[in-house]
């Protein structure tokens, strides 16, 4: 069965964006970007793929899930479907249905949908694109954390996991370190696998 992977950029103190959702503080260029282009090209949005001349098949993911706030920056600049080369599911109670066949707006329990996506026959995985609220709701289902750790501290912002339903909204989850890779840009890729993932 394929995996649910939370692949996201994060600061040293565990924030995926500033309080206003801005992530300009993260390192935009460098050898870590070269690695993403070579190994995970499908995780780049459509305008970046165009700049790099990328048009090949996905390497790791064929489906992604994201929250409304993750989609909003693309909508703000007129991009209705930031990853048209993937199946996209956006969880929102306020967005109207999308006219784009590659993007589906979902108003339902994310766990139920994600379980059905992971159960599909595919050699490629499902990507949690963001944000922290959705990742908090899906934490019990996450098989792997793939963190692009940036060499900076935000102090406050949108946490890697949050759900907005109280001070202790979910039980502790245990992950094992799988591998880390340090780049000259200062960014470090670190992967963790759920401790019981091999039994799932």
């Amino acid at each position: 069965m394929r995996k649910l992977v939370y692949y996201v950029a994060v600061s040293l103190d565990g924030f995926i964006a500033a309080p206003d959702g801005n992530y300009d503080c993260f390192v935009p260029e460098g050898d870590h970007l070269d690695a993403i282009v070579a190994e995970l090209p499908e995780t780049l949005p459509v305008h970046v793929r165009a700049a790099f001349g990328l048009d090949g098949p996905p390497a790791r993911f064929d489906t992604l899930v994201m929250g409304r706030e993750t989609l909003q920056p693309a909508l703000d600049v007129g991009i209705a479907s930031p990853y048209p080369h993937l199946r996209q599911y956006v969880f929102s109670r306020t967005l109207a249905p999308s006219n784009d066949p590659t993007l589906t707006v979902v108003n339902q329990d994310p766990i139920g949908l994600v379980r059905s996506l992971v159960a599909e026959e595919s050699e490629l995985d499902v990507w949690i694109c963001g944000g922290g609220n959705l990742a908090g709701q899906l934490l019990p289902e996450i098989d792997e954390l793939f963190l692009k750790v940036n060499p900076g501290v935000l102090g406050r912002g949108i946490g890697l996991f949050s759900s907005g339903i109280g001070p202790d909204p979910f039980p502790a989850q245990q992950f094992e370190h799988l591998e880390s890779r340090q780049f000259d840009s200062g960014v470090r890729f670190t992967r963790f696998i759920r401790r019981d993932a091999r039994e799932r």
Side-chain angles (χ1 to χ4, degrees), residues 10-27:
V10 64
S11 68
L12 289 174
D13 52 347
F15 295 107
I16 61 173
D20 63 357
N22 187 293
Y23 46 84
D24 290 345
C25 55
F26 293 150
V27 180

Side-chain angles (χ1 to χ4, degrees), residues 80-92:
S81 177
Y83 302 93
H85 47 284
L86 303 176
R87 283 192 304 164
Q88 305 162 88
Y89 293 90
V90 180
F91 291 92
S92 174

